């Protein structure tokens, strides 16, 4: 009996989930549920079934877990509490400041429905959060550092695209190598925003656009760029298409702490990701947490959960015995 | 109400646990239980109470968790099943091949006593095992690599000391940089034992000892050195004491895997440790898993568990709400 997974929302993340399910022999893809007309949906694998999101409750008895692949701004705050009452669900809600509110809403409906709802799953929040927690628990006296990149920030790329005269743009977030080295050396540096990351922009503009004004608008944009050292490169659409169509990302979580009678010994724990495709990696994390949601619900658990609540064994398709023999 | 922790066995690991408990304000050290005469025990902190291990059952009602700091070869196979019936316990059993047998023995007694027994806790087995599990679950199609070092191997140092004419020795295990680079580049290399690690030995010999014979005995020693490129340095006792008294260690767990319709995207997950003191870091891991053992038993769980069975939240002294707000 394979675990039947449905996908709600079909953008880059949904496509990544579709691919990831094919890599997990204990799962099968039930289908994709979208707001678009099912007939118009071009899926990665032609055999994937497409349905209207409006009909999803009709399939309630046939689906084990729904992976919700909507956006955090407007989709997930509505979809996860709604679907979480009827299905085991997993989402990648990543608006850090609103996690407590989202948790409370989802917890209420998941408990009412007797289902498991796993929120904020992915790599940050997600695997990076786990590493912050493990690092803090093991080395209670120490400092945390999270660096992101090198990778494409969708939000920053969108912000550039909204500037008048810009046709298209990619923004890369890049950790400052010198800061990383100091942290790895156990120097416990205090780092400002500017000292941790730089921002590099590749911008395609309209013919005759005022490049000086555009560069200035980017570099002084509050919240997005003003607090960073930002480089702006104007390139042609051909170059953008040739060299900047990937969605790589990654980053580092480092915990530096001390132990010993007089805190004389220093320890560095580092977790890093180097990802060719940000959405496909996030999807792969979502899929193994879907397995966990299914198994935990089978054991009688319900309510809203995060990665902190999930015992690692639930993520694996291996038996407990196999894991102890081969991975421990 | 603080969690009351007892230490059974008082070597480097026991001393590390004694220090680590002082860094965790929600815990208190109940005392050290040793085979030695309690009056003869010199503890790191003078206020630490010392008892005979023979009397430990008399303290049953006053102790929440016993951290068992004995050796894997002869101590833990007896102590963990015995103490696990009467106390929540944590051990660092690290004989990989015998984990299934140890698990079965401990599980029986912990279930009979209604206690939690967490075995094979530390960094390998322990944090490295967790990272192998997470990596395999997220990227099911990929390769695992574990490198150890640079660090002192106690077992290999002991093996050198048993050679005739050797007064003292330290052996460092060192990962081969070129192999690490290939793995990080996603090249998926197949690596022999020799290609992954080198071994560097610092040896103090008796006056007039036959250095050529000793070097040859080291380099050809089966299991320990014969399969590795080994360097032997003869040094004075003064130099050994000046430069080789620390017990550093560390290593790398790397998962390299592919995703996408045609497996076209590569992802690298890397977890690394750089430790000034191997026993103190292991102790710090043991202490936060002692918290987990206590909390899980309070919730009614019992039996033998490994790091795979422990939801990360149990390791932390923070509330669930605090973790979601600040670490997620």
């Amino acid at each position: 009996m394979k675990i039947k997974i449905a996908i709600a929302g079909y953008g880059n993340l949904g496509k990544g989930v579709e691919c990831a399910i094919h890599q997990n022999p204990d799962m099968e893809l039930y289908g994709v549920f979208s707001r678009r007309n099912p007939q118009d949906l071009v899926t990665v694998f032609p055999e994937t079934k497409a349905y209207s999101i409006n009909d999803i409750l009709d399939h309630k008895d046939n689906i084990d877990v729904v992976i919700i692949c909507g956006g955090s701004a407007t989709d997930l705050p509505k979809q996860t509490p709604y679907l979480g009452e009827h299905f085991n669900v997993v989402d990648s809600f990543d608006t850090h400041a609103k996690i407590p509110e989202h948790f409370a809403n989802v917890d209420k409906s998941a408990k009412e429905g007797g289902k498991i709802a796993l929120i904020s799953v992915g790599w940050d929040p997600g695997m990076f959060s786990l590493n912050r927690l493990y690092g803090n628990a093991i080395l209670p006296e120490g400092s945390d550092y999270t660096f992101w990149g090198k990778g494409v920030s969708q939000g920053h790329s969108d912000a550039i695209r909204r500037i008048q005269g810009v046709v298209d743009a990619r923004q890369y977030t890049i950790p400052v190598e010198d800061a990383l080295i100091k942290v790895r050396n156990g120097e416990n540096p205090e780092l400002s925003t500017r000292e941790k990351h730089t921002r590099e922009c590749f911008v395609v503009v309209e013919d005759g656009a005022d490049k000086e004004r555009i560069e200035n608008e980017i570099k002084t944009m509050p919240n997005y760029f003003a607090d960073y050292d930002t480089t702006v490169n104007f390139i042609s659409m051909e170059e953008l298409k040739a060299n900047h169509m990937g969605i790589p990302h990654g980053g580092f979580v480092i915990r530096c702490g001390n132990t010993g009678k007089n805190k004389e010994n220093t320890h560095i724990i580092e977790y890093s990701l180097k990802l060719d495709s940000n959405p496909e990696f996030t999807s792969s994390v979502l899929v193994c947490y879907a397995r966990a949601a299914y198994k935990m619900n089978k054991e009688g658990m319900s309510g809203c959960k995060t990665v902190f609540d999930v015992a690692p064994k639930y993520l694996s398709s291996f038996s407990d015995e196999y894991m102890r023999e081969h991975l421990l």
Side-chain angles (χ1 to χ4, degrees), chain A residues 3-10 13-18 20-21 24 27-29 31-33 53 56 63-70 76 79-80 83 87-92 116 118 121 282-293:
Chain A
I3 308 171
K4 290 185 213 67
I5 311 278
I7 296 168
Y10 196 66
L13 206 56
K15 288 176 187 171
V17 170
E18 185 184 2
I21 290 169
N24 287 279
M27 299 182 171
E28 67 181 49
L29 178 57
V32 170
F33 291 83
I53 187 76
I56 192 166
I63 295 169
D64 293 314
V65 187
V66 178
I67 300 180
I68 311 177
C69 298
L76 299 179
Q79 291 176 339
T80 311
L83 293 173
F87 300 95
N88 296 312
V89 296
V90 183
D91 83 16
S92 61
I116 287 277
L118 268 165
V121 172
T282 302
S283 302
S284 297
V285 179
L286 288 169
V287 166
C288 72
Y289 275 92
R291 178 184 292 120

Side-chain angles (χ1 to χ4, degrees), chain A residues 67-109:
Chain A
I67 300 180
I68 311 177
C69 298
S72 294
T74 55
D75 299 333
L76 299 179
K78 289 178 193 160
Q79 291 176 339
T80 311
Y82 175 70
L83 293 173
E85 191 181 333
H86 306 283
F87 300 95
N88 296 312
V89 296
V90 183
D91 83 16
S92 61
F93 186 78
D94 67 358
T95 313
H96 281 83
K98 293 191 176 167
I99 286 174
E101 182 189 336
H102 189 56
F103 184 93
N105 293 338
V106 174
D107 194 46
K108 188 166 172 289
S109 63

Side-chain angles (χ1 to χ4, degrees), chain A residues 41 47 119 160 228 231 241-242 271-272 275 307 323:
Chain A
L41 223 59
E47 68 269 28
I119 63 160
I160 300 172
Y228 298 85
T231 315
K241 286 191 173 159
Y271 180 81
S272 72
L275 313 175
V307 293
M323 282 186 253

Side-chain angles (χ1 to χ4, degrees), chain A residues 130-156:
Chain A
L130 276 179
N131 279 280
R132 286 187 286 261
L133 175 57
Y134 280 119
N136 273 269
I138 296 169
L139 297 172
E141 296 182 45
S143 307
D144 277 321
Y145 297 90
T146 301
F147 292 88
W148 295 274
K150 183 182 177 177
V152 173
S153 165
Q154 219 61 56
H156 289 79

